[in-house]
Amino acid sequence: IDLAIRTFALMAEVFEEPGPPLGRPYVAKLLSDSTFWAYAAIDGSDVVGGLTAHTLPMTRREMREVFLYDIAVHGSHRRRGLGRGLIEALREAALAEGIEVVFVPVDDDDDEAIDFYRSLQPVESPVRFFVWE
């Protein structure tokens, strides 16, 4: 739980979305959910990156897909393969569970993220997300 709290705080910092730290009960509930995926990249005792994802059951066929929701690497640790490693770990774990599709949305104006994902050679899909807040 402590590692997850530190990882989620680092991700909020990287995304410049400050806020109070997540509470232990909330994080414990997240981590106990079998459809929630969380990974941390650690350098020594420091959390330097993280990834969160969610498993989604599909309705066209009896299958699941993984929605990669957030991935972040601290600026001082970028260009070292940490982001690639986090995604590879997620994809390998998903495959081990019989899940063949992992997908991620990217804002049209986030050129750095677009370049990063393209470097991993995915199949690119022209999809837009619409959000109600």
Side-chain angles (χ1 to χ4, degrees), residues 62-128:
E62 291 184 20
M63 62 180 278
R64 299 170 293 158
E65 295 182 359
V66 174
F67 171 59
L68 193 169
Y69 183 72
D70 274 334
I71 182 170
V73 175
H74 191 277
S76 65
H77 286 75
R78 290 191 183 142
R79 308 260 184 249
R80 297 184 185 179
L82 295 175
R84 176 182 297 270
L86 288 165
I87 290 175
E88 288 174 0
L90 174 66
R91 290 183 65 209
E92 288 173 14
L95 276 174
E97 289 198 20
I99 303 171
E100 297 178 4
V101 176
V102 174
F103 67 97
V104 60
V106 182
D107 290 332
D108 286 339
D109 61 352
D110 192 341
D111 294 331
E112 186 177 1
I114 291 169
D115 290 344
F116 168 68
Y117 292 122
R118 283 182 175 155
S119 77
L120 301 175
Q121 301 177 332
V123 174
E124 204 165 326
S125 178
V127 174
R128 291 200 183 265

